[in-house]
Amino acid sequence: MIATADGPHPGLSAPPKITEVETHGVEPIPDAERSAGPLDLFRLVFGGANTIATVVLGSFPIIFGLSFRDALLATLAGLVLGAIILAPMALFGPRNGTNNAVSSSAHLGVHGRVVGSFLSLLTAVAFFSISVWTSGDVLVGGASRAVGMDPNAAPNDVAVGVAYGIFALLVLIVCIYGFRFMLLVNKVAVIAATVLFLLGIIAFGGTFDPSYAGIFGADADAATNALYWPSFVGAALIVMSNPVSFGAFLGDWARYIPRETPAWKSMSAAFLAQIATLVPFLFGLVTATVVATNASTYMEEGNYVGGLLAVSPGWYFIPVCLIALIGGMSTGTTALYGTGLDFSSVFPRFSRVQATVLIGAIAIAFIFVGRFAFNVVQSISTFAVLIVTCTAPWMVVMMIGWFVRRGWYDSDALQVFNRRQRGGRYWFTHGWNWRGLGAWLVSAALSICFVNLPGQFVGPLGNLAAGIDLSIPVGLGLAAVLYPALLFAFPEPADAFGPDGPRVVPAGPPANTPIISVDTPSETAAVR
C-alpha cells in the first residue's frame, strides 16, 4: 500500500524517484501510478501563483487609482469569482488521466482539441516569459541595493541577462525531470515564499496607511470620478485573469490523482489554492499603497517593481531576492511543464522530454530577444490578457460539456489524435465538433472586441460600457448561452454520451464511427 498526501491508497505502485525523468506524456496515467492527491494539486496551483508576478498583478488596483479599501474589495471579488470558475477544471485530469486539452476532444472533436493545446501553449510561453522577466529584474535590483549600489542606477544589462539565463535554465531542468521534481519545488515554494511575504508585515507595517484614499472622492473632478467604475471593474478582471489562466493547465497535474477521488476534493484544492493567493495579492496591494504614498513618481511611471525596491528597508532586500528566485522557479516550472506536455500532444512524434527541450529553447530565445532586441515586455503582458480572455469561454464549453455528459468519458476515444487514428465516438464531423467550436469561436471573438486596456489594447467595442472592460464577462456569458443552445438545436450523436445518456440536452442517432489506424488511402477515405 502506497500513501499519498491524502492518505493510503491500496493497489498503487511505488512512485518514481524525484531524480527519475518522467516518461509519461498525454497518454492516460495508469491507475497504479496515480499516487498524487488533492493536497499535491493545491501545492502546485498555489506554488505557481505565490510569486512576484502575482504581486505585480496585486498592485494594479492601486495603480488604477482606487483607495486601499476599494482595491481590497476589487481584489476579493476578482479572486473569488476566478476561483469559482477555475475549480471545475480540476475534474478532468483524475477522470481521464490526461491533460485538459486532450479531454476537450469530447467537446470540440478529435481535431478540435488543438484549440485547447494552442491556448495552453501560448498562455504558458507568455507567463513563463513574464515570470522570468519580473523575477530576474527584481533579483538584480534587490541584489544591487543589498550591496549598496546607487538606487537610481539602471540595472546592468549583463547582470539582468545572467539572471534571466539562470532562471530559464533551472526551470528547464526541473521540467525535464517532470512532475515529481516540479512537485518538490512547489512544496518548498509554498512554505518559503509565504514566510517571506509575511515578513513584509514587519518591513512595511510602519509605513502602510490603510486609509489611503486613491484619486477618487469628493476632491476629485467629475471627469476623474467618471473613471471609478471602469477602474474598479478593470482591477477585478485583472485579478480574475490570474485564476482563469490556470484553467488549461490543471489537468497537467491533476492527471496523477486517482480517478476514485471525490470530485469535491479536487475542486476544493483548486479553489482554495487560488484563495490562498491572497498572500501575494495583499502583499502587492499593501506595498503599492506604500509606494504611492512615499514614492509616487514610480507609480506615475508604472514602475511598481522599482518603487517596491525604493521603499523596502535595507534588511528586506535579501528576502525580496529570495521571493524572486523561489517564485520564478515555481511559476516557470508550472508554465513550461504544461507547454512541453501540450506540444507533445499536438505533435505525437515528440516525447514529453523532447517537446519540453524544444519549446524551452524557443521560449528562452524569445525571452532574450523580446527583452533586449525589441522590448516587448509590455506587449507580451497584453498578449497574455488576450489569451486568458479567449481561454475563459473555452473553459465554459468544457464545464457545460462535463455537465451534459454526466462526467462520463471514453478515455480510449480521447487518444485518437495522439495515436494517429481516426474515428471513435468523438469524431463528429471529420474530427471537428462545430457545436463546441462554434460556441467558443463566437464567444472568444466577441470577448476580444470588449477588451479595454488603456494605452495597450482597446477592442472595437471596448468603450461601449463607458470604458468598463467587459471582455471576460461577455465571453463567459455568451458561451454559457450559445453552447447549450447549439446542443439543443443540433443534438450530438447518442454514442458521444455514456450509458445513462445525456443530462438535460437531447441526443441524436448514434454515429457508430469505428476507430481505425490510418495507414492507407482507402482507410482514410472510408472514415471520411
Side-chain angles (χ1 to χ4, degrees), residues 13-191:
S13 59
K17 296 180 180 179
I18 291 175
T19 54
E20 183 178 335
V21 175
E22 180 189 9
T23 57
H24 289 302
V26 294
E27 72 281 359
I29 303 298
D31 290 342
E33 297 182 31
R34 297 194 190 186
S35 55
L39 181 58
D40 295 318
L41 180 62
F42 173 91
R43 288 165 172 158
L44 285 165
V45 177
F46 181 34
N50 197 27
T51 67
I52 284 290
T54 304
V55 168
V56 172
L57 289 178
S59 70
F60 272 89
I62 299 298
I63 293 175
F64 284 2
L66 298 177
S67 67
F68 175 76
R69 183 199 65 180
D70 291 345
L72 178 59
L73 290 175
T75 299
L76 290 172
L79 190 56
V80 172
L81 288 174
I84 291 172
I85 295 169
L86 173 69
M89 299 303 293
L91 297 174
F92 297 92
R95 182 60 53 88
N96 298 322
T98 187
N99 69 347
N100 285 354
V102 172
S103 293
S104 73
S105 298
H107 311 300
L108 281 81
V110 168
H111 293 153
R113 51 63 57 97
V114 298
V115 169
S117 292
F118 279 106
L119 286 174
S120 300
L121 285 168
L122 295 173
T123 304
V125 171
F127 278 89
F128 176 51
S129 302
I130 292 170
S131 173
V132 172
W133 285 330
T134 304
S135 297
D137 289 346
V138 171
L139 180 62
V140 172
S144 299
R145 306 291 171 83
V147 298
M149 293 183 63
D150 180 3
N152 296 314
N156 182 279
D157 283 348
V158 174
V160 171
V162 170
Y164 289 174
I166 291 173
F167 269 124
L169 289 176
L170 287 176
V171 168
L172 181 57
I173 290 171
V174 172
C175 292
I176 288 173
Y177 277 101
F179 178 78
R180 293 292 162 191
F181 205 157
M182 185 176 65
L183 181 57
L184 174 63
V185 169
N186 281 275
K187 284 180 179 179
V188 174
V190 164
I191 298 174

Side-chain angles (χ1 to χ4, degrees), residues 20 25 30 50 72 76 86 99 102 150 177 210 229 231 245 282 302 316 325 345 417 426 460 474 480 502 526:
E20 183 178 335
N50 197 27
L72 178 59
L76 290 172
L86 173 69
N99 69 347
V102 172
D150 180 3
Y177 277 101
W229 281 111
S231 298
S245 69
L282 286 177
Y316 197 65
L325 179 62
S345 72
F417 182 94
Y426 304 131
V474 166

Side-chain angles (χ1 to χ4, degrees), residues 27 36 86 197 207 290 310 377 399 446 481 492:
E27 72 281 359
L86 173 69
F197 279 131
T207 53
V290 174
V377 176
M399 287 183 275
L446 194 59
V481 172
E492 293 179 331

Side-chain angles (χ1 to χ4, degrees), residues 434-453:
W434 55 268
R435 304 163 188 83
L437 281 169
W440 168 77
L441 185 60
V442 172
S443 302
L446 194 59
S447 183
I448 289 177
C449 291
F450 278 91
V451 170
N452 190 315
L453 299 172

Side-chain angles (χ1 to χ4, degrees), residues 326-462:
I326 295 169
M329 285 288 294
S330 58
T331 297
T333 53
T334 51
L336 190 59
Y337 175 81
T339 306
L341 191 62
D342 271 317
F343 190 81
S344 68
S345 72
V346 176
F347 300 97
R349 67 181 60 195
F350 288 94
S351 68
R352 186 198 65 82
V353 173
Q354 292 172 329
T356 299
V357 171
L358 176 61
I359 293 297
I362 294 173
I364 291 172
F366 173 79
I367 286 169
F368 280 89
V369 173
R371 171 63 170 80
F372 295 109
F374 298 103
N375 195 24
V376 297
V377 176
Q378 185 177 14
S379 298
I380 198 66
S381 301
T382 304
F383 179 70
V385 172
L386 296 178
I387 292 299
V388 170
T389 300
C390 292
T391 302
W394 177 84
M395 292 168 62
V396 172
V397 170
M398 290 284 287
M399 287 183 275
I400 293 175
W402 173 283
F403 176 79
V404 301
R405 301 286 173 84
R406 303 179 186 271
W408 186 93
Y409 293 88
D410 183 339
S411 296
D412 189 59
L414 291 174
Q415 298 290 328
V416 164
F417 182 94
N418 311 321
R419 296 169 181 168
R420 300 184 185 180
Q421 298 172 325
R422 292 181 181 272
R425 64 177 77 234
Y426 304 131
W427 186 248
F428 299 106
T429 305
H430 304 299
W432 305 88
N433 185 0
W434 55 268
R435 304 163 188 83
L437 281 169
W440 168 77
L441 185 60
V442 172
S443 302
L446 194 59
S447 183
I448 289 177
C449 291
F450 278 91
V451 170
N452 190 315
L453 299 172
Q456 300 180 54
F457 178 88
V458 178
L461 302 177

